[in-house]
Amino acid sequence: MKVGIDAITFDVAKLHLPIKTLANARNIEAEKLEKGLGLLKMTLPDTYQDTVVFGANALTKLILDNNINLNEIARIYVGTESAIDSSKPIASFLTTLMEQKFGTNFLSECDVVDFTFACIGGVDALQNCIDFIRLNPTKKAIVVTTDFAKYDLNSTGEYTQGAGAVAMLVTSNPRIIAFENHWATSTKGVFDFFKPYRSITKEAILGKTQMKIGSII
């Protein structure tokens, strides 16, 4: 039995900064960003946009474009590194908004979970939903990946900023792509990326000794 992505939609911020404009302001060669990293524009969220808004917009498009019956959705899993609440998952915000939008309470029996992990959270959410559908081929699941990446001005990560979301319908016998049941995992805890919820330095967590060791490595 084949399992994978049956439909996909997305939503991104409407405000865009041409990457050439940023490159000129930072004295960076534009081709390094355009051809080297494939960057053309940097998306900037508006005042009232966050990861819930982007996720809800992408999910609404997925439901409308594919005439999805919400009663058939058993899971809505979210992959993110930009949660807005330390305890309540984005996925639970999405179910509430969808019930308000479509006037139904079918999603009250839908399982919702966030996978918070930079870069790979969406992959983990997708893998879990694929495994679920493989065991329950008559069910359907939805994966939403949504993020708001923001870096300090003049930092090396500034030009990789962006904001948006993708929503994917996971089913058996998918129309877009199917995945075989072969997975490999490699895990190591490192501090190559730091995105605190609150205002706190990495040094305050690791200590000066650990910081020196990390910089040497």
Side-chain angles (χ1 to χ4, degrees), residues 88-204:
K88 182 180 174 65
I90 291 175
S92 65
F93 284 99
L94 296 182
T95 55
T96 299
L97 290 171
M98 292 307 103
E99 289 180 344
Q100 292 176 359
K101 170 71 176 178
F102 298 103
T104 177
N105 63 352
F106 290 145
L107 293 176
S108 61
E109 297 181 1
C110 179
D111 185 29
V112 294
V113 173
D114 279 8
F115 291 78
T116 304
F117 200 152
C119 301
I120 202 173
V123 175
D124 285 341
L126 179 60
Q127 182 177 352
N128 273 269
C129 285
I130 289 173
D131 289 343
F132 174 76
I133 298 301
R134 206 179 300 278
L135 293 173
N136 303 274
T138 62
K139 302 286 187 178
K140 296 181 180 180
I142 290 175
V143 174
V144 177
T145 61
T146 179
D147 270 312
F148 173 11
K150 183 179 180 180
Y151 296 88
D152 293 335
L153 296 177
N154 290 298
S155 68
T156 55
E158 182 183 20
Y159 43 77
T160 66
Q161 292 183 125
V166 171
M168 297 169 279
L169 178 65
V170 180
T171 68
S172 57
N173 301 314
R175 292 173 292 177
I176 296 179
I177 186 172
F179 299 97
E180 295 184 1
N181 194 23
H182 300 295
W183 303 93
T185 302
S186 177
T187 303
K188 184 178 181 180
V190 295
F191 264 96
D192 59 338
F193 193 87
F194 190 61
K195 187 177 182 180
Y197 280 113
R198 303 170 185 84
S199 179
I200 186 172
T201 64
K202 189 189 296 187
E203 182 177 334

